Amino acid sequence: MRISYNWLKQFIKLDWNSEETSALLTDLGLEVEGVDKYESLKGGLEGVVVGHVLTCVQHSNADKLRVTTVDIGAEAPVQIVCGAPNVAVGQKVPVATIGTKLYDKEGNAFEIKKGKIRGEESHGMICAEDELGLGEGHDGIMVLDEKLVPGTPASKVFNIETDEVFEIGLTPNRADAMSHWGVARDLRAGLIQKGVNHTELMTPSVSKFKVEKRTLKVDVKVEDSKLAPRYCGVTISGITVKPSPSWLQNRLKAIGLTPKNNIVDVTNYVLHELGQPLHAFDAAKIKGSKVVVKTMPAGTKFVTLDEVERILHEEDLMICDESGPMCIAGVFGGKNSGVTENTNAIFLESAYFNPVSIRKTAKRHTLSTDASFRFERGIDPTITEYALKRAALLIQEVAGGEITSDPIDIYPKKIEDFSVLLNFNNVNKIIGQEIPKETIKKILVSLDIKVNSVSDAGLGLVIPAYRVDVQREIDVIEEILRVYGYNNIGFTTKLNASISNSSRTEDYKIQNLIANQLVSQGFNEMMANSLTSPDYIKLSDKLKEEFNVLMLNPLSNDLSAMRQSLLFSGLEAVSYNINRKKSDLKLFEFGKSYHKMPSGYEENKHLTLLVTGNRQMENWNSSEKPSDFFLFKGYVNAILSRLGLEKTTSQPLDNDVFAEGIAYSTGKEILVEFGTVKKSILKHFDIKQEVLFADFNWGEILKLISTKIKFVEIPKYPEVRRDLALLVDSSIQFEQVYSIAKQTEKSLLKDINLFDVYEGTNLPEGKKSYAVSFMLQDNSKTLTDAQIDKIMSKLQQNFEKEIGATLR
């Protein structure tokens, strides 16, 4: 938000420089992010002075040049070569002295330098109006008032306005400070706390407002006072629409607005002056001379000022006449009811609209205007009529005309101020320092907060309705603290610390444990938006439309639902990186999925992994090798192993997400599903390479993690390895071999590993060969050959019996 310092000084007398004022505003919570210099004319005519032409003779070497001597208020006159046909002795002229920077129409600077023109020295330039940026004329030099004194700065002659503009980073809760008046109120409170005297707030007077005639009446009907709690209006006739005077244009330009015409400029001026949005309708375009504030049926078409046809929602509040809508209330005007150069009478509107209604309408139509910005945060309902009269008087000043109707003020139910009880002990407890009671009262009064009752324990307060962010005791304490000054709160040099006793299985600790493990394996953590497109549920039958958690007021259709799965937001990240030439990815995310179940809303926590591309970066000593399912399975197993959850059962996955995959479970609960994502899903995200995805049920995993630490003694006796080459049917999975072996020998068989698979020549049709290693160990003694042979013989028999395996 931009605040003009000159404009601010119209409300409060202040001789501080902008740096001091910036510091105070920042201390008050209105952070000044920067101060810009504004000049109504670029360069401010700095270096341009009034000159008096003393002599003027023909140049000896040029027919169209003259050599002049000019008094510019210096010790001696200067010689200037001039090509203007109208230069003459005795004239008072604008002179750009040596070193002056002038600017062309494109804003490019050129410096006036000492030089020679056809052999004659020239110490400056006598200027035409276009060279100074004061007009378009270039027929000759400007001739000034003969009463002017040589050496007078041109900036004083032409009333060049300079200003300093504060760029304030306004927080959303400070609706009260969205105007120069609002900033001045805060500044006054800060100055009073600093002990600065004469800090009265000067507000524009509307005492001269009067109804000259009652010749143009516009009836107003508000159909829903909840959406429009207060609505004011008045008609002004006999106006002339034209460019605004320079003072008004300069005020608007200083804060970054482009002047339109005197009527529109006044409404913008009052909006930034008082924080009250206004709208001017061409009275001749109001059918039936009647304004109706109401909602329209869904699907109604309406063309706004930007010539865009918009489809109205049934909750959009509209300003209508007898034939239809004229304006989206508090948001944007209509194409066919605005003020033009032919307008001679207007209906001026000033209203207080429901903030929630305006915010929803603005979001629905993706419109953000200065008016909606203020209405949706909450403006001051007490100044609606005052602002109307202020604007009407300004319009009469800059456009002429007469007030031709009594002001209309429809305000059926007054918006009440807020009542808050303030306890002095709570103030001192929250702030951490005792503030004198009289200081507290002084601060509150300076903020227009009325002290209704006083006791030893605290105060009964009445908060103005425009302070929508101050409705609780804690809000009042915050107000006291920011005006008192955070820098005035003392602090101790003593450092206090406490140690909390927390379980080793706390969620954040387990997350950090696994995150560190994944990072050490080359993964990067990602954080995706929980808001996503509701259309993603169409990519999987597991996701149901009725389970979608939809936003009431979404930022866009692509961000209108809470995600039911972390897969699709993860694939968005994969696609984003691949499109930027980052195709080798290992990503993980801790996040939640959201579901609207018949029993209520559910949030489930997940850990997801995404791997695609090559295993490692391209290198001279290793060839490229893509990440595959078995590498990915290793990552998944490593996580479960680190968490002590190795006793799981596995089963193949058959769903519409994975082309092939496995699920690990304990009992009825699935701990993790992982596998290769189907190409049909990848195609939706324009991904052409294989992507591996794992989805851990993190909530269930946390329940299963043991709080006890288990220690196992390092074995004293050696382990023994035996290998078998098994010839099995092609349909046999290693999982079956593993299960049979574990059931055959539960105590001495420590590990089973498949180290080779062969399918090809020299094998019967429909057969394959598994080369499997078996690690045997007894923790109490060394195994004998007889024991080992007995176990291996039993394994061989069971393999043959269960799956028809034979030794190669």
Side-chain angles (χ1 to χ4, degrees):
M1 182 181 71
R2 293 175 66 83
I3 294 294
S4 157
Y5 201 14
N6 288 347
W7 201 342
L8 201 60
K9 290 176 181 177
Q10 292 180 197
F11 290 99
I12 190 166
K13 289 182 178 179
L14 191 61
D15 56 3
W16 285 18
N17 61 43
S18 61
E19 189 174 331
E20 293 174 299
T21 305
S22 295
L24 179 55
L25 288 173
T26 299
D27 288 344
L28 290 166
L30 301 178
E31 183 181 359
V32 177
E33 298 174 340
V35 181
D36 299 326
K37 186 177 181 180
Y38 168 77
E39 296 167 330
S40 58
L41 185 67
K42 190 168 184 179
L45 297 183
E46 186 176 347
V48 181
V49 298
V50 175
H52 182 203
V53 181
L54 302 177
T55 66
C56 178
V57 297
Q58 183 67 42
H59 194 293
S60 59
N61 294 322
D63 294 339
K64 295 184 178 181
L65 297 179
R66 291 173 175 77
V67 180
T68 66
T69 53
V70 184
D71 178 8
I72 58 171
E75 293 181 359
V78 296
Q79 178 174 295
I80 299 175
V81 177
C82 179
N86 64 328
V87 64
V89 173
Q91 291 175 335
K92 298 290 176 65
V93 293
V95 177
T97 57
I98 300 238
T100 299
K101 286 186 178 180
L102 299 179
Y103 296 84
D104 60 21
K105 292 180 180 179
E106 285 72 39
N108 301 314
F110 59 94
E111 185 176 341
I112 304 300
K113 299 179 179 179
K114 176 183 176 182
K116 279 190 176 183
I117 302 176
R118 296 287 184 95
E120 295 287 349
E121 288 189 357
S122 185
H123 297 263
M125 183 172 80
I126 303 175
C127 301
E129 63 179 25
D130 67 329
E131 292 166 333
L132 297 177
L134 296 171
E136 300 293 330
H138 194 71
D139 296 337
I141 59 169
M142 292 186 73
V143 180
L144 307 178
D145 188 337
E146 61 181 16
K147 296 179 181 177
L148 293 173
V149 177
T152 303
S155 58
K156 292 184 178 180
V157 175
F158 296 105
N159 295 319
I160 303 301
E161 181 169 345
T162 60
D163 197 357
E164 290 174 292
V165 182
F166 302 116
E167 185 67 48
I168 294 179
L170 194 66
T171 53
N173 63 307
R174 291 303 308 276
D176 62 295
M178 293 188 295
S179 65
H180 286 76
W181 188 18
V183 173
R185 279 190 304 232
D186 252 28
L187 191 57
R188 176 191 61 176
L191 291 170
I192 290 173
Q193 179 61 24
K194 294 275 186 186
V196 178
N197 296 322
H198 308 297
T199 54
E200 295 83 7
L201 200 60
M202 299 173 288
T203 54
S205 172
V206 294
S207 60
K208 293 182 179 179
F209 180 90
K210 66 177 180 177
V211 181
E212 283 96 351
K213 297 178 182 177
R214 291 177 175 82
T215 55
L216 181 59
K217 182 182 179 183
V218 173
D219 295 321
V220 176
K221 180 182 179 182
V222 178
E223 291 192 356
D224 191 340
S225 60
K226 290 182 179 178
L227 298 181
R230 188 173 190 184
Y231 191 91
C232 298
V234 72
T235 62
I236 308 172
S237 303
I239 63 170
T240 302
V241 179
K242 59 184 179 181
S244 298
S246 58
W247 70 266
L248 179 52
Q249 291 197 34
N250 286 336
R251 283 285 180 265
L252 298 179
K253 287 178 181 178
I255 59 172
L257 297 182
T258 302
K260 304 292 185 184
N261 59 55
N262 49 2
I263 305 301
V264 174
D265 290 351
V266 165
T267 61
N268 284 330
Y269 180 87
V270 174
L271 180 146
H272 289 277
E273 179 186 50
L274 303 176
Q276 172 65 56
L278 303 123
H279 191 74
F281 298 90
D282 188 329
K285 297 176 182 178
I286 301 176
K287 301 296 187 293
S289 294
K290 185 174 183 179
V291 168
V292 183
V293 184
K294 63 179 182 179
T295 56
M296 298 294 291
T300 301
K301 295 180 179 179
F302 178 65
V303 180
T304 46
L305 276 171
D306 55 0
E307 299 186 351
V308 175
E309 184 178 78
R310 303 181 188 275
I311 308 300
L312 300 181
H313 188 274
E314 66 268 15
E315 293 181 0
D316 292 337
L317 186 64
M318 304 297 295
I319 310 300
C320 309
D321 59 13
E322 287 189 343
S323 66
M326 300 187 295
C327 172
I328 302 177
V331 180
F332 210 31
K335 177 185 177 183
N336 300 318
S337 62
V339 173
T340 68
E341 64 273 9
N342 299 319
T343 300
N344 56 33
I346 62 170
F347 174 73
L348 187 62
E349 167 197 276
S350 177
Y352 176 89
F353 296 119
N354 182 286
V356 175
S357 171
I358 298 301
R359 182 168 62 251
K360 287 183 176 180
T361 295
K363 294 295 182 185
R364 269 193 293 266
H365 297 289
T366 61
L367 289 170
S368 180
T369 60
D370 283 341
S372 67
F373 180 82
R374 285 158 177 79
F375 276 128
E376 65 190 26
R377 285 162 175 78
I379 61 172
D380 186 353
T382 65
I383 67 165
T384 311
E385 186 180 28
Y386 167 72
L388 180 75
K389 292 179 177 179
R390 166 67 171 159
L393 289 172
L394 283 174
I395 287 173
Q396 284 187 292
E397 179 183 335
V398 301
E402 299 175 311
I403 308 295
T404 50
S405 74
D406 290 311
I408 298 164
D409 187 5
I410 301 175
Y411 196 16
K413 185 178 180 181
K414 183 181 177 183
I415 296 173
E416 300 294 336
D417 294 336
F418 310 109
S419 296
V420 175
L421 294 176
L422 179 68
N423 186 292
F424 290 129
N425 288 335
N426 288 341
V427 174
N428 298 331
K429 179 181 177 182
I430 297 296
I431 293 177
Q433 178 175 310
E434 185 172 349
I435 297 178
K437 295 178 181 179
E438 288 304 315
T439 300
I440 292 174
K441 293 178 191 176
K442 184 179 178 182
I443 290 172
L444 293 172
V445 170
S446 71
L447 291 169
D448 293 336
I449 296 175
K450 297 177 183 177
V451 179
N452 220 20
S453 60
V454 182
S455 68
D456 292 338
L459 303 172
L461 305 173
V462 177
I463 315 295
Y466 66 81
R467 289 308 307 269
V468 292
D469 61 323
V470 184
Q471 300 185 22
R472 305 168 299 167
E473 182 185 43
I474 190 67
D475 299 328
V476 176
I477 294 173
E478 183 182 357
E479 291 296 291
I480 293 169
L481 179 56
R482 72 180 183 85
V483 176
Y484 182 76
Y486 289 94
N487 295 333
N488 294 325
I489 303 300
F491 60 92
T492 178
T493 56
K494 181 181 178 183
L495 178 64
N496 296 317
S498 59
I499 300 174
S500 62
N501 180 25
S502 61
S503 169
R504 58 181 288 273
T505 58
E506 289 272 353
D507 187 4
Y508 75 93
K509 290 184 178 180
I510 303 299
Q511 280 194 44
N512 287 339
L513 181 74
I514 298 303
N516 288 336
Q517 176 174 308
L518 289 169
V519 169
S520 70
Q521 293 172 330
F523 281 78
N524 288 301
E525 185 170 8
M526 60 170 280
M527 295 179 67
N529 198 336
S530 296
L531 293 174
T532 188
S533 169
D535 295 335
Y536 282 155
I537 63 167
K538 298 175 183 177
L539 300 177
S540 172
D541 292 336
K542 290 176 62 179
L543 309 178
K544 305 296 182 183
E545 185 174 359
E546 58 267 26
F547 295 164
N548 264 340
V549 180
L550 299 175
M551 298 294 100
L552 295 175
N553 190 23
L555 293 172
S556 69
N557 290 331
D558 289 338
L559 298 172
S560 61
M562 305 289 281
R563 60 184 176 182
Q564 289 192 44
S565 170
L566 275 64
L567 170 62
F568 306 118
S569 53
L571 290 177
E572 286 178 349
V574 170
S575 177
Y576 183 90
N577 280 275
I578 290 175
N579 289 337
R580 285 153 183 80
K581 308 302 180 184
K582 299 288 185 182
S583 57
D584 302 333
L585 301 169
K586 292 180 181 178
L587 305 173
F588 74 95
E589 179 184 11
F590 287 98
K592 290 183 178 181
S593 62
Y594 305 85
H595 308 268
K596 184 182 180 182
M597 308 301 289
S599 58
Y601 292 100
E602 288 185 4
E603 294 183 18
N604 299 313
K605 197 159 191 177
H606 301 259
L607 163 63
T608 58
L609 310 182
L610 285 154
V611 172
T612 186
N614 293 317
R615 298 186 180 198
Q616 59 189 30
M617 292 178 62
E618 186 178 13
N619 200 299
W620 67 271
N621 63 358
S622 62
S623 58
E624 289 186 353
K625 189 174 182 181
S627 300
D628 58 25
F629 178 84
F630 298 101
L631 173 71
F632 192 61
K633 181 182 177 183
Y635 293 141
V636 173
N637 289 342
I639 291 173
L640 294 177
S641 176
R642 186 68 182 85
L643 296 174
L645 301 175
E646 295 171 301
K647 295 181 179 180
T648 60
T649 58
S650 63
Q651 59 190 48
L653 280 174
D654 182 19
N655 58 37
D656 56 355
V657 172
F658 296 104
E660 58 178 356
I662 294 176
Y664 287 158
S665 58
T666 56
K668 295 182 180 180
E669 295 296 334
I670 294 177
L671 296 186
V672 59
E673 294 180 344
F674 64 96
T676 307
V677 181
K678 281 191 171 182
K679 290 184 179 180
S680 58
I681 294 178
L682 298 180
K683 184 178 180 181
H684 185 84
F685 296 90
D686 196 27
I687 299 173
K688 298 179 177 63
Q689 61 192 55
E690 185 179 73
V691 176
L692 297 150
F693 174 71
D695 186 358
F696 290 82
N697 184 345
W698 193 252
E700 191 61 32
I701 285 174
L702 291 176
K703 294 177 187 177
L704 296 174
I705 296 175
S706 174
T707 57
K708 296 179 180 178
I709 299 176
K710 296 179 181 180
F711 298 92
V712 178
E713 186 179 0
I714 297 174
K716 297 179 181 179
Y717 302 97
E719 61 181 10
V720 177
R721 170 174 168 162
R722 290 289 185 270
D723 297 340
L724 291 177
L726 301 173
L727 189 65
V728 298
D729 292 339
S730 297
S731 60
I732 298 299
Q733 299 292 319
F734 174 67
E735 175 67 23
Q736 294 170 268
V737 176
Y738 186 93
S739 298
I740 292 169
K742 279 291 188 182
Q743 291 169 4
T744 301
E745 179 54 56
K746 297 181 179 179
S747 61
L748 299 181
L749 184 58
K750 302 300 183 183
D751 191 24
I752 307 160
N753 182 49
L754 176 66
F755 63 88
D756 187 43
V757 178
Y758 176 71
E759 291 180 277
T761 58
N762 302 324
L763 291 182
E765 186 177 349
K767 296 289 185 177
K768 62 183 175 182
S769 174
Y770 276 165
V772 185
S773 66
F774 302 88
M775 304 301 296
L776 302 169
Q777 188 177 43
D778 189 335
N779 293 331
S780 60
K781 60 184 178 180
T782 301
L783 289 171
T784 65
D785 289 339
Q787 286 178 295
I788 295 168
D789 291 342
K790 183 179 179 181
I791 293 170
M792 295 307 297
S793 177
K794 191 174 181 180
L795 284 171
Q796 184 180 341
Q797 292 172 12
N798 285 344
F799 288 144
E800 184 175 353
K801 179 182 177 182
E802 298 290 338
I803 58 176
T806 59
L807 295 181
R808 283 187 65 189

